[in-house]
Amino acid sequence: MRTVVRVVERIEETPSTVTLRFPYAPAAEPGQFVMLWIPGDDEIPMSLSYVEGDRKGVTVKAMGATSRHVLTIAPGDWIGLRGPYGNRFDLAPRRLLIVAGGSGAAVLAPGAERVVAGGGSVVVALGATRAPELLFRQRFAEMGARVEVATDDASAGFAGYVTGVAERLLAEEPFDAVWTCGPEVMMRKVLALADARGVPTFGSTERHMKCAIGMCDACAFGPFHVCTDGPVFSSGQLRSVPDFGVFHRDAAGRRVRF
Amino acid sequence: MRTVVRVVERIEETPSTVTLRFPYAPAAEPGQFVMLWIPGDDEIPMSLSYVEGDRKGVTVKAMGATSRHVLTIAPGDWIGLRGPYGNRFDLAPRRLLIVAGGSGAAVLAPGAERVVAGGGSVVVALGATRAPELLFRQRFAEMGARVEVATDDASAGFAGYVTGVAERLLAEEPFDAVWTCGPEVMMRKVLALADARGVPTFGSTERHMKCAIGMCDACAFGPFHVCTDGPVFSSGQLRSVPDFGVFHRDAAGRRVRF
Amino acid sequence: MAELGVELAGVRLRNPFLLASGIWGESGASLAGAYRAGAAGVITKSIGAAPREGFPNPTIESYGSWGMLNAMGLPNPGIDDYPKEVEIALASGAPVIGSVFAGSAEEFGRLAERMAALGVVALELNLSCPHAEGFGTEVGGTPPEVERIVREVVDRVRIPVIAKITPNTTDAPALALAAERGGAAAVSAINTVRALAVDVRLRRPVLAHGLGGLSGPAVKPVGLACVWQIFERVRIPIVGVGGISTGEDALEYVMAGARALEVGTAVAVEGAGAFGRLARELSALLDELGIARLADAVGVAHAAR
Amino acid sequence: MAELGVELAGVRLRNPFLLASGIWGESGASLAGAYRAGAAGVITKSIGAAPREGFPNPTIESYGSWGMLNAMGLPNPGIDDYPKEVEIALASGAPVIGSVFAGSAEEFGRLAERMAALGVVALELNLSCPHAEGFGTEVGGTPPEVERIVREVVDRVRIPVIAKITPNTTDAPALALAAERGGAAAVSAINTVRALAVDVRLRRPVLAHGLGGLSGPAVKPVGLACVWQIFERVRIPIVGVGGISTGEDALEYVMAGARALEVGTAVAVEGAGAFGRLARELSALLDELGIARLADAVGVAHAAR
Ligand SMILES: Cc1cc2nc3c(=O)[nH]c(=O)nc-3n(C[C@H](O)[C@H](O)[C@H](O)COP(=O)(O)OP(=O)(O)OC[C@H]3O[C@@H](n4cnc5c(N)ncnc54)[C@H](O)[C@@H]3O)c2cc1C
Ligand SMILES: Cc1cc2nc3c(=O)[nH]c(=O)nc-3n(C[C@H](O)[C@H](O)[C@H](O)COP(=O)(O)OP(=O)(O)OC[C@H]3O[C@@H](n4cnc5c(N)ncnc54)[C@H](O)[C@@H]3O)c2cc1C
Ligand SMILES: Cc1cc2nc3c(=O)[nH]c(=O)nc-3n(C[C@H](O)[C@H](O)[C@H](O)COP(=O)(O)O)c2cc1C
Ligand SMILES: Cc1cc2nc3c(=O)[nH]c(=O)nc-3n(C[C@H](O)[C@H](O)[C@H](O)COP(=O)(O)O)c2cc1C
Ligand code: FES
Ligand code: FES
């Protein structure tokens, strides 16, 4: 069941990242993703960065040909959608640490909004290569989260990887849970840091996706399929998967080291 | 959607007619029919002579090879069923005349029971070749209907066609409606008699049936399909169909005069 | 309001929807009813040289909303008894397309002549019934057979000839090309897809004939594939058939390459009202998409490739 | 409790249900998971000589409960990278059947040797993918091709060879007979049915490749017809596949002539739990019908004719 809709809004979030908003009625939860079809081009997995109501959104960072193509999409253009697919974040934590790198903030923001709305406190460790690339810095601030940033080039906040910020926060404050999304090597480090403090981690993982319905095995992740068993996995699951942070598979199913 | 069930009861109604009872859950109304499959043999249309609850029934008169085969079916034997199909009798009449010939009583009895249960009065003109073949004579009496019989061989009641009884009843008493089922030449006569008195008639017609779902045209009856538009037709409909009482079609679709 | 009218092999149709062969086609009154309800034209039941009762019942099995299995076995009154039905159908004003089936090219030719003489606007040759021994795919399942039969018929009649192609083949376009070479004015695709149901309690096939043909929504993707492939290789117009039950299904077929459409199972399921609904849905969809004339949409999906 | 175990070409299976090729077969862990969840054995993704990315997305389209369209384009890591996946699968104890595809008989032979060397219990030859240019039906769509490929492989390996047949043919039994002549230990039927979907708003096929293959409940009647027809003409065992999603579906296939079964779409839809459910449903049904051993039911529907 595929739906083809016209994009109604395009928001430039960072120099390399754009949010598209579109009418899409199916109910969705924070953590879930859609398959976004760019007619004439590829169909790629995208987390829903806006899950509420009928006007959903995705926030896309330019990585390769198709995601760059997404950045050229304007209001009025057709896109294809199917989903939402996958599981969701558990929204129970009262004191939540979010560690986001790259486009990872896209999948984390809707859940953070829910936690704050439910009376929880959220601290966000937000990393990017440079200050203008810090995704949803303002959105997190506006929802009432505390944002601590890190940039590789020291143009804002902590100079270096966001895991540095996460490490400090975990040392300074008590958290019920850590949510993380970003490069897998980063997530692996976050898992180790949180494990050391005994804080449960939930990581949103990415694997090559084709069917998105647990059929084709493209997204195999140890014994799991990211599309149906994930994309959100718990600390225990992540630790049990030898692939985590070590290798993913390319479109042919070959193992590729990170 | 076909269901295969075991017959649970076999009742010999007349020397040539047997009722089979079987578990069949789909809701049915008086007038509707099922397609009754005798595995290894044909599948033939049969009115439901018992429509209430989960234990439905059909009442089959031996006509040719398959119906004779039905008479040999014993409790425990498998039969196939699909349906119920077709429309139903309108149960509004308060003073109802039923004119039944041959196996026609099978389709009329359940509706008569409902009319009586609803406080209506029912008079049944019941015809057969000879007394033992009078179908449901006792059932009609037990439900509280008045039964007036006719036999070709004068072995019971009026000597001659049941239309003779019907003519008298229509002359003697006021009726809101006439229901009839039996040989089409008989039904045509009933229609004429009731028309003369201005009483609306509802006739349950029979045509060769294959699909029973309005697809194959085997049961074409003027502009109607007996399987989906019928089997019950009103006076107006019956009058509008040039075929009525004149010809039916054989399995090949050829017109055959009655 | 979008223009739904199309021309098929010289025949002007008020909309693309024809009643498919085998649905309601045994009686003239049913054919007339389909036209009055909105069909642009009606295709008769496939008529043979002699009356045929078809297979014993059960002849159909339903899969609920997505499909229907049948093995009617080509019941038909035979060409001798059929003229009065065509007459009634024609009296309604309907463009009637006469469908015929036969066991040989020669017999096809003779039947076609007789059917043509009844005043039908075109002929459809049933080369594709998947389950009747000695007919359908058994005589029209290979390109040389298709070509020979079509040529024989085309040589003997003056009205357009439509060859109805089977989906039970490795290469549907090869059959369509053969029809084109034989002189067909159009091809229609698809007939039903060979299929079977077993009753596990009775340990036997459900249909008396065993093998049957699948129709309804489940075969739409199969029909679309055939139309798509045929469009890429033949020039004569294509009549799309198989599982059409919404205006969107119809437009899928048109964009895949169909110029006209036949509707079978959906008409049986819904009744004659299906024709009006289909036309309304298609018209609304064309308006939504800014397509002024349906004919402009024929095959456009191929341009995107 | 009815005995569900069957023997297929010398391989003992604890129940008739095998994971169909192309579902979960890219990674060893997924194959192992299917076996642990109750599959009697697992068939690998069809593996080729070189890594292949397959077609771009969209590669699938869902029709809701009744069917699924896909054109993956035979993505696979290639035989060089595949041994570690087979190793993981075998470590679970699963009987692994290695599926291979190739563009020629010679290439099939070479690949088959390499796959056999990995310790799989049997090979399945994909002669039936309906949409990948140069493979599948394009090399295994006719009886002579099937026979040549099967013979080449049989000559080069010592394990049983299963030929997977296409439903996109006029004559499935002819393909099965060719496989039998070539020395196949069994045939499996069916692969997906050639199909297409069009998006009318985008005026293009939904799948990036255009044509794809239909699977799921809608193809069960088509698969049953193929198995039925093949059973009437070949002696080697048949593996039934296509739209199996209940125990009753399974028994339909067995009574039509299948000795073992493959399950694809239903496993994707429901997850690995489908295997346990299918076995439970089938077992309960056999008990209800008083059938002591599943093997006794193979082909019984033919006796009723
Ligand atoms: C569950 C999930 C959620 C995601 N959410 C977001 C998001 O919210 N925002 C965002 O910017 N990105 C997200 N991504 C990543 C996004 O899908 C890729 O960036 C995108 O597919 C790149 O496509 P490309 O053609 O531009 O890049 P390519 O040049 O093709 O490749 C660049 C990278 O993207 C990966 N990629 C390409 N195609 C796919 C595919 N079909 N499935 C998965 N990965 C692919 C490649 O493996 C490679 O690592 C998500 C991925 C997954 C699996
Ligand atoms: C809607 C409907 C309800 C019916 N209800 C009853 C009923 O309650 N009790 C009852 O005894 N009979 C009923 N009949 C009639 C019953 O279907 C036939 O008597 C039966 O089909 C005869 O089959 P046969 O093989 O024994 O006879 P055959 O020797 O085949 O033929 C005898 C007569 O039955 C007719 N017939 C045969 N096959 C069919 C068929 N598929 N469809 C319709 N007529 C057929 C023939 O045209 C012929 O007139 C009903 C028929 C219809 C259409
Ligand atoms: C009950 C039935 C009878 C049919 N009889 C014929 C026939 O006589 N001649 C023919 O060419 N096609 C026949 N067909 C095939 C249809 O014309 C049509 O090609 C097929 O059903 C697919 O279309 P649909 O899905 O709209 O029904 C028949 C189909 C059904 C369901
Ligand atoms: C996504 C997908 C990928 C498939 N890949 C292969 C394949 O690589 N090799 C093969 O022989 N069959 C392949 N098939 C066909 C299946 O093995 C099976 O024959 C078909 O799907 C019908 O069974 P089902 O209805 O149970 O899915 C694939 C099917 C699907 C749906
Ligand atoms: S993307 Fe196909 S199994 Fe996950
Ligand atoms: S029995 Fe087929 S249309 Fe009525």
Side-chain angles (χ1 to χ4, degrees):
Chain A
M1 301 298 161
R2 190 179 302 273
T3 308
V4 170
V5 299
R6 289 188 195 273
V7 168
V8 293
E9 194 184 350
R10 177 184 184 279
I11 308 139
E12 226 163 279
E13 304 286 359
T14 80
S16 70
T17 314
V18 152
T19 291
L20 301 179
R21 302 292 299 265
F22 42 80
Y24 194 59
E29 294 287 334
Q32 291 193 292
F33 68 98
V34 291
M35 290 299 285
L36 172 70
W37 180 24
I38 311 307
D41 198 329
D42 214 335
E43 181 200 47
I44 55 178
M46 276 298 145
S47 302
L48 285 170
S49 56
Y50 292 90
V51 300
E52 319 288 349
D54 284 2
R55 196 144 162 280
K56 308 276 193 308
V58 292
T59 301
V60 182
K61 188 173 170 72
M63 297 296 293
T66 311
S67 47
R68 273 201 301 271
H69 187 164
V70 174
L71 266 65
T72 69
I73 286 180
D77 289 350
W78 291 114
I79 56 171
L81 295 164
R82 55 190 180 94
Y85 294 121
N87 65 0
R88 57 194 70 178
F89 284 106
D90 167 18
L91 302 173
R94 310 291 304 159
R95 294 168 302 182
L96 174 65
L97 173 62
I98 280 179
V99 188
S103 65
V107 69
L108 298 163
E113 270 161 3
R114 289 267 189 100
V115 169
V116 172
S121 75
V122 174
V123 183
V124 182
L126 188 65
T129 47
R130 55 201 183 91
E133 287 295 350
L134 288 163
L135 180 61
F136 287 155
R137 184 179 188 174
Q138 197 182 337
R139 181 172 172 194
F140 283 118
E142 278 170 4
M143 74 179 73
R146 200 174 94 222
V147 187
E148 309 244 357
V149 306
T151 49
D152 299 355
D153 71 350
S155 51
F158 179 80
Y161 292 139
V162 69
T163 46
V165 177
E167 183 164 17
R168 175 175 56 77
L169 289 167
L170 281 161
E172 286 172 8
E173 298 175 40
F175 292 101
D176 305 330
V178 177
W179 291 357
T180 182
C181 184
E184 210 157 296
V185 178
M186 174 206 100
M187 290 205 279
R188 211 183 140 101
K189 174 82 185 169
V190 172
L191 176 64
L193 293 170
D195 277 359
R197 301 276 168 187
V199 184
T201 303
F202 297 87
S204 178
T205 55
E206 293 182 5
R207 280 296 178 276
H208 197 91
M209 286 196 182
K210 294 185 171 181
C211 72
I213 54 170
M215 189 162 211
C216 70
D217 222 23
C219 68
F221 179 62
F224 302 117
H225 290 122
V226 170
C227 63
T228 48
D229 302 311
V232 182
F233 292 100
S234 68
S235 325
Q237 290 174 315
L238 294 173
R239 278 191 300 264
S240 78
V241 177
D243 318 18
F244 181 58
V246 178
F247 70 85
H248 64 114
R249 288 170 195 270
D250 66 12
R254 278 176 301 192
R255 296 163 186 232
V256 181
R257 298 219 141 245
F258 280 109
Chain B
M1 299 299 162
R2 189 179 303 273
T3 308
V4 169
V5 299
R6 287 186 197 275
V7 168
V8 293
E9 195 184 350
R10 174 184 186 280
I11 307 140
E12 227 163 277
E13 304 286 1
T14 81
S16 71
T17 314
V18 151
T19 291
L20 301 179
R21 303 291 300 263
F22 42 79
Y24 194 60
E29 294 286 336
Q32 291 193 290
F33 69 99
V34 291
M35 289 301 284
L36 172 69
W37 180 25
I38 312 306
D41 199 329
D42 213 338
E43 181 199 47
I44 55 179
M46 276 298 144
S47 301
L48 285 169
S49 57
Y50 293 91
V51 301
E52 318 288 348
D54 283 2
R55 198 146 160 280
K56 307 278 192 308
V58 292
T59 300
V60 182
K61 187 172 172 72
M63 296 296 294
T66 312
S67 46
R68 274 201 300 272
H69 187 164
V70 174
L71 265 65
T72 69
I73 285 180
D77 289 351
W78 290 113
I79 56 171
L81 296 163
R82 53 190 182 93
Y85 295 121
N87 65 358
R88 57 196 68 182
F89 284 106
D90 169 17
L91 302 173
R94 310 292 303 161
R95 294 168 303 180
L96 174 65
L97 174 61
I98 281 181
V99 187
S103 65
V107 69
L108 298 163
E113 270 161 4
R114 289 266 188 100
V115 169
V116 172
S121 75
V122 176
V123 182
V124 182
L126 188 63
T129 48
R130 55 199 183 90
E133 287 294 350
L134 288 162
L135 180 62
F136 289 154
R137 185 178 188 175
Q138 197 183 334
R139 182 173 172 192
F140 282 118
E142 277 170 5
M143 74 178 70
R146 199 174 95 221
V147 187
E148 309 243 359
V149 305
T151 50
D152 300 355
D153 70 352
S155 51
F158 179 79
Y161 293 139
V162 69
T163 44
V165 178
E167 183 162 17
R168 175 175 53 79
L169 289 167
L170 281 162
E172 288 173 6
E173 299 173 40
F175 291 102
D176 304 332
V178 177
W179 293 357
T180 183
C181 182
E184 210 156 297
V185 178
M186 176 206 99
M187 290 204 281
R188 213 182 137 101
K189 174 83 185 163
V190 172
L191 176 65
L193 293 169
D195 277 359
R197 301 278 167 185
V199 184
T201 301
F202 298 87
S204 179
T205 55
E206 294 183 3
R207 279 298 178 275
H208 197 92
M209 285 197 183
K210 295 185 171 182
C211 73
I213 52 170
M215 191 163 210
C216 71
D217 221 21
C219 70
F221 179 62
F224 303 117
H225 291 120
V226 171
C227 65
T228 47
D229 301 311
V232 182
F233 292 100
S234 69
S235 326
Q237 290 175 315
L238 294 173
R239 277 192 301 264
S240 78
V241 176
D243 320 16
F244 181 54
V246 178
F247 70 85
H248 63 114
R249 288 170 195 268
D250 65 11
R254 278 174 301 192
R255 296 163 186 231
V256 181
R257 296 220 143 243
F258 280 111
Chain C
M1 276 272 293
E3 170 59 52
L4 294 187
V6 291
E7 199 190 286
L8 174 71
V11 181
R12 194 69 226 145
L13 301 173
R14 61 188 179 187
N15 65 52
F17 300 110
L18 304 168
L19 177 71
S21 180
I23 283 80
W24 296 2
E26 254 174 43
S27 82
S30 296
L31 292 170
Y35 180 68
R36 287 204 195 91
V42 294
I43 307 180
T44 70
K45 174 76 193 166
S46 292
I47 301 298
R52 247 178 92 96
E53 298 206 339
F55 302 132
N57 281 345
T59 44
I60 80 136
E61 167 80 349
S62 161
Y63 296 102
S65 62
W66 59 261
M68 191 83 77
L69 177 66
N70 92 83
M72 305 309 298
L74 294 170
N76 79 98
I79 191 72
D80 289 341
D81 263 45
Y82 202 61
K84 49 182 162 299
E85 311 299 342
V86 174
E87 201 178 294
I88 294 168
L90 286 172
S92 72
V96 177
I97 297 173
S99 172
V100 291
F101 74 96
S104 67
E106 164 59 22
E107 192 184 334
F108 260 110
R110 264 179 289 132
L111 263 171
E113 272 181 0
R114 294 196 55 192
M115 183 63 92
L118 304 182
V120 299
V121 295
L123 292 173
E124 185 177 77
L125 310 184
N126 180 349
L127 305 170
S128 43
C129 177
H131 48 63
E133 280 74 22
F135 300 108
T137 49
E138 295 200 4
V139 297
T142 66
E145 289 163 346
V146 168
E147 185 174 345
R148 187 154 11 92
I149 292 169
V150 171
R151 175 158 302 124
E152 176 74 22
V153 171
V154 167
D155 284 352
R156 289 169 78 151
V157 300
R158 284 160 193 274
I159 54 178
V161 173
I162 305 167
K164 189 165 177 187
I165 297 297
T166 180
N168 302 297
T169 175
T170 314
D171 193 353
L175 296 175
L177 276 169
E180 186 174 52
R181 278 195 306 273
V187 287
S188 47
I190 56 173
N191 209 310
T192 55
V193 179
R194 194 188 295 112
L196 180 96
V198 172
D199 189 284
V200 297
R201 287 175 182 77
L202 304 177
R203 301 176 176 219
R204 63 188 316 130
V206 172
L207 301 187
H209 180 256
L211 293 170
L214 192 65
S215 66
V219 306
K220 183 188 74 168
V222 180
L224 282 169
C226 287
V227 168
W228 175 268
Q229 290 185 293
I230 293 169
F231 186 85
E232 303 227 311
R233 286 174 56 200
V234 311
R235 264 192 286 265
I236 52 176
I238 305 166
V239 185
V241 47
I244 297 172
S245 70
T246 68
E248 191 162 330
D249 295 338
L251 191 52
E252 274 195 77
Y253 266 99
V254 171
M255 288 184 170
R259 182 161 296 274
L261 304 167
E262 301 176 17
V263 190
T265 303
V267 173
V269 168
E270 182 176 347
F275 286 109
R277 179 182 56 79
L278 282 166
R280 283 191 304 276
E281 285 178 5
L282 179 57
S283 176
L285 186 57
L286 292 175
D287 288 348
E288 176 198 331
L289 301 181
I291 300 173
R293 295 154 20 102
L294 180 64
D296 296 340
V298 175
V300 295
H302 294 259
R305 312 228 65 231
Chain D
M1 275 273 293
E3 170 59 52
L4 293 187
V6 291
E7 201 189 284
L8 175 73
V11 180
R12 197 62 229 148
L13 301 172
R14 61 190 178 185
N15 66 50
F17 300 108
L18 304 167
L19 177 72
S21 181
I23 285 80
W24 295 4
E26 252 174 48
S27 82
S30 296
L31 292 171
Y35 179 68
R36 289 204 193 91
V42 294
I43 307 180
T44 69
K45 175 76 193 165
S46 292
I47 301 298
R52 245 178 93 96
E53 298 205 342
F55 300 132
N57 280 345
T59 45
I60 78 139
E61 168 78 349
S62 162
Y63 295 102
S65 62
W66 60 260
M68 191 82 77
L69 177 67
N70 91 82
M72 305 309 299
L74 294 171
N76 79 97
I79 192 71
D80 290 342
D81 262 43
Y82 202 62
K84 48 182 163 300
E85 310 299 342
V86 175
E87 200 180 295
I88 293 169
L90 287 171
S92 72
V96 177
I97 297 173
S99 172
V100 292
F101 74 95
S104 67
E106 162 60 22
E107 192 183 334
F108 260 110
R110 263 180 289 133
L111 262 172
E113 271 182 359
R114 293 196 57 191
M115 183 62 92
L118 303 181
V120 298
V121 294
L123 293 172
E124 185 177 77
L125 311 184
N126 180 349
L127 305 169
S128 41
C129 178
H131 47 64
E133 279 75 21
F135 300 109
T137 49
E138 294 201 5
V139 298
T142 66
E145 289 163 346
V146 168
E147 184 174 346
R148 187 154 11 94
I149 292 169
V150 170
R151 175 157 300 126
E152 175 75 22
V153 171
V154 167
D155 284 352
R156 290 169 77 152
V157 300
R158 284 159 192 275
I159 53 177
V161 173
I162 305 168
K164 188 165 181 186
I165 297 297
T166 180
N168 302 299
T169 175
T170 315
D171 192 352
L175 296 175
L177 276 169
E180 187 175 50
R181 279 195 305 274
V187 287
S188 47
I190 56 174
N191 210 311
T192 54
V193 179
R194 194 186 297 110
L196 180 96
V198 172
D199 189 283
V200 297
R201 287 177 181 76
L202 304 178
R203 303 178 176 216
R204 61 189 317 132
V206 171
L207 301 186
H209 181 255
L211 294 170
L214 192 64
S215 66
V219 307
K220 183 187 73 166
V222 180
L224 283 168
C226 287
V227 169
W228 175 269
Q229 291 185 292
I230 293 170
F231 186 84
E232 304 226 312
R233 286 174 56 198
V234 313
R235 266 193 285 268
I236 52 175
I238 305 166
V239 186
V241 47
I244 297 173
S245 70
T246 68
E248 192 162 329
D249 295 338
L251 191 52
E252 274 195 78
Y253 266 100
V254 171
M255 288 183 169
R259 183 160 293 276
L261 304 166
E262 301 177 16
V263 191
T265 303
V267 173
V269 168
E270 181 177 347
F275 286 108
R277 179 183 55 79
L278 282 166
R280 283 191 304 277
E281 286 178 3
L282 179 57
S283 178
L285 186 57
L286 292 175
D287 289 348
E288 175 197 332
L289 301 181
I291 300 173
R293 294 155 20 101
L294 180 65
D296 296 339
V298 176
V300 296
H302 294 261
R305 313 230 65 232

